Amino acid sequence: MRTVKASRKVKIPKGVTVSAKARNVVVRGERGILRRNFRHLACDIRIQAGYVIVEVWWGNRQANAAVRTVATHIENMMTGVSKGWQYNCRLVYAHFPILTTINDDGTQLTVRNFIGEKYVREVSMREGVTVDRNPKNKEELILIGNDIEKVSQTAADIRTSVLIKNKDIRKFLDGIYVAEKGTIGNTKSVI
């Protein structure tokens, strides 16, 4: 059964401007600009009276579910350009300490001595994402960026670079895990 109209409104915060043309959304804020293309979805995106309105007319279940997804993506973009996103990753090891080095501009992470291996792992940060060491805890990395998808994918890239293979994962729990995530300066624990 089809729904006549499914819609969702997202309030535009102060200091953020949003423009939408032909399902291409551009969000500008004090931290930068984010662009996203929603042309693969058959929905209407318009700006009206301080709100972004996402609508689908005569949509099936899949199209109606996409309305909230698009609205949430736009909301995350607005949060990114106004506050920014932060992921804190914890270095976990039982015996061999994991040694990490960060290049000068924070776009490259090098992991050494993971479970005593001589192999050197290098992870490049996604565009717009920087890595830094937590000044309060040397066993923690901080990933900061405007685009939540790039920040979270960078955390996943770091995690997968140190996956343990050919060993019992119940015993070998070493790795780099996401411990906290949220907006910059306002993270919540995920453990």
Side-chain angles (χ1 to χ4, degrees), residues 133-172:
R133 206 174 301 285
N134 190 343
K136 297 176 186 171
N137 183 0
K138 67 177 184 120
E139 300 297 324
E140 198 168 72
L141 301 173
I142 299 175
L143 302 172
I144 292 177
N146 293 345
D147 192 348
I148 190 171
E149 292 189 7
K150 290 181 180 175
V151 174
S152 61
Q153 187 59 52
T154 302
D157 292 343
I158 293 170
R159 165 81 181 97
T160 55
S161 73
V162 292
L163 282 179
I164 295 185
K165 297 182 175 69
N166 302 323
K167 289 184 175 52
D168 187 0
I169 59 170
R170 296 170 295 180
K171 179 72 175 165
F172 292 88

Side-chain angles (χ1 to χ4, degrees), residues 17 19 26 81 83 86 90 98 118 188:
T17 58
S19 63
V26 179
V81 297
K83 298 176 185 173
Q86 174 178 331
R90 186 87 36 93
I98 300 172
K118 298 291 182 194
K188 293 186 173 88

Side-chain angles (χ1 to χ4, degrees), residues 26 28 43 52 55 60 71-72 74-76 84 91 95 98 105 127 135 138 144 151-152 171 176 180-181:
V26 179
R28 290 179 174 83
C43 64
V52 177
E55 295 176 334
N60 58 9
T72 304
I74 294 170
E75 197 172 345
N76 285 339
L91 306 174
H95 185 270
I98 300 172
D105 54 351
E127 180 186 351
K138 67 177 184 120
I144 292 177
V151 174
S152 61
K171 179 72 175 165
I176 302 175
E180 297 176 356
K181 59 185 176 180

Side-chain angles (χ1 to χ4, degrees), residues 57-144:
W57 293 87
W58 296 105
N60 58 9
R61 249 177 95 192
Q62 185 178 7
N64 292 340
V67 170
R68 182 172 181 150
T69 302
V70 171
T72 304
H73 282 310
I74 294 170
E75 197 172 345
N76 285 339
M77 290 166 68
M78 289 189 281
T79 303
V81 297
S82 60
K83 298 176 185 173
W85 295 102
Q86 174 178 331
Y87 274 48
N88 294 357
C89 298
R90 186 87 36 93
L91 306 174
V92 178
Y93 54 87
H95 185 270
F96 295 103
I98 300 172
L99 305 174
T100 57
T101 54
I102 301 165
N103 72 348
D104 295 334
D105 54 351
T107 57
Q108 187 84 16
L109 176 72
T110 306
V111 181
R112 289 184 168 80
N113 199 35
F114 177 70
I115 60 172
E117 294 177 346
K118 298 291 182 194
Y119 181 72
V120 176
R121 294 161 171 83
E122 291 190 358
V123 182
S124 296
M125 302 298 113
R126 301 279 169 145
E127 180 186 351
V129 180
T130 58
V131 63
D132 199 4
R133 206 174 301 285
N134 190 343
K136 297 176 186 171
N137 183 0
K138 67 177 184 120
E139 300 297 324
E140 198 168 72
L141 301 173
I142 299 175
L143 302 172
I144 292 177

